[in-house]
Amino acid sequence: MSLFYEAIDVLHIERSNLQILPTARYWFSSQKKRRQQYSDVVWDMAIAVVNACRPISIIMDEDSLSELEYLNQFRNVIHEGEQQLILATRSQPDFLLLTGDKVCLAALPKLSEEIYQRLEGRVICLEQVVWLLIQQLGFEVVKTRVLPMRQYDKAIQACFGSGEQAQECNVLETLTGYITNLQRQVPGLLANIEQLGNDPTEGNI
């Protein structure tokens, strides 16, 4: 069973504030090859999450079009969907950007200072979420839910590589290693996950 909504809850995010790209609902119907890589349960859960979120409203004024043109220069490492998400943060007074795409994250320091500063302290990676879930829900609860799904993400597979024999100290150490490495690559970009886990917020994600 998915830990998605538990993750949203431990981050103190209002579920009504969850936002996705307007095209996300149509993405699944066009991905026949990728569909074969996932079980029916995982695919259906992903669709259910997307259907529960509201589309992001992106204001396409002259400045936005200029920024989109600029972001398109990085299309080899920041694909179209992520460009749209970054663009959408222009009009969000308070937001968190959750991503598991390490290639995109690693490319963000190449962006302009204006965009980078806009994202500073507002990006959350998957490893941070799993780390916080373990702190809040307990290791055994998270392990039981993660193990059936771990093959779908290389980092999570590495963290829980021992399967049922996985130990909390080893998993947390590996998660922390991934997070620390990302913090070195993207200084100041990742959100303070401990603060988010303790301080209620109504930010968008």
Side-chain angles (χ1 to χ4, degrees):
M1 188 176 181
S2 170
L3 279 166
F4 179 80
Y5 286 112
E6 285 86 347
I8 298 306
D9 290 341
V10 299
L11 288 169
H12 297 293
I13 300 296
E14 292 290 335
R15 296 188 184 187
S16 59
N17 284 342
L18 295 174
Q19 298 184 68
I20 57 170
L21 291 175
T23 56
R25 286 185 171 87
Y26 309 105
W27 182 88
F28 288 93
S29 60
S30 65
Q31 298 296 315
K32 293 182 179 179
K33 290 184 178 180
R34 184 164 293 188
R35 169 68 183 84
Q36 298 172 0
Q37 301 173 16
Y38 298 90
S39 69
D40 291 341
V41 172
V42 170
W43 196 257
D44 290 344
M45 283 193 300
I47 292 175
V49 166
V50 167
N51 288 336
C53 299
R54 58 189 175 92
I56 296 174
S57 177
I58 302 177
I59 301 173
M60 294 305 296
D61 54 19
E62 185 176 342
D63 290 337
S64 295
L65 289 172
S66 178
E67 182 169 304
L68 185 59
E69 183 179 357
Y70 168 75
L71 289 170
N72 194 46
Q73 300 175 51
F74 303 91
R75 59 185 176 275
N76 291 334
V77 286
I78 304 177
H79 66 60
E80 183 180 357
E82 286 152 339
Q83 291 178 29
Q84 292 285 333
L85 287 173
I86 293 171
L87 186 66
T89 64
R90 288 177 55 87
S91 58
Q92 297 289 331
D94 190 19
F95 68 88
L96 292 171
L97 181 61
L98 177 60
T99 180
D101 193 326
K102 305 297 188 301
V103 176
C104 172
L105 284 173
L108 294 182
K110 301 176 183 178
L111 299 180
S112 68
E113 184 177 356
E114 177 186 355
I115 297 176
Y116 196 88
Q117 288 181 347
R118 192 169 76 224
L119 299 175
E120 279 186 324
R122 295 184 177 275
V123 177
I124 301 177
C125 67
L126 178 59
E127 290 78 13
Q128 285 180 297
V129 175
V130 176
W131 185 92
L132 185 58
L133 283 168
I134 292 173
Q135 306 302 319
Q136 299 281 341
L137 303 182
F139 178 69
E140 291 301 325
V141 171
V142 175
K143 183 176 79 170
T144 299
R145 304 278 281 278
V146 166
L147 288 184
M149 312 289 185
R150 69 186 187 277
Q151 70 269 29
Y152 299 118
D153 183 89
K154 291 181 180 179
I156 300 304
Q157 189 172 22
C159 294
F160 291 87
S162 300
E164 293 292 345
Q165 284 70 49
Q167 299 295 313
E168 181 174 1
C169 59
N170 295 331
V171 171
L172 288 175
E173 182 179 1
T174 308
L175 287 168
T176 301
Y178 275 105
I179 295 167
T180 301
N181 184 54
L182 270 175
Q183 288 171 331
R184 292 194 189 103
Q185 292 183 59
V186 291
L189 211 65
L190 297 183
N192 185 331
I193 198 72
E194 294 186 58
Q195 182 178 351
L196 288 173
N198 292 316
D199 296 340
T201 179
E202 295 185 356
N204 298 317
I205 189 169

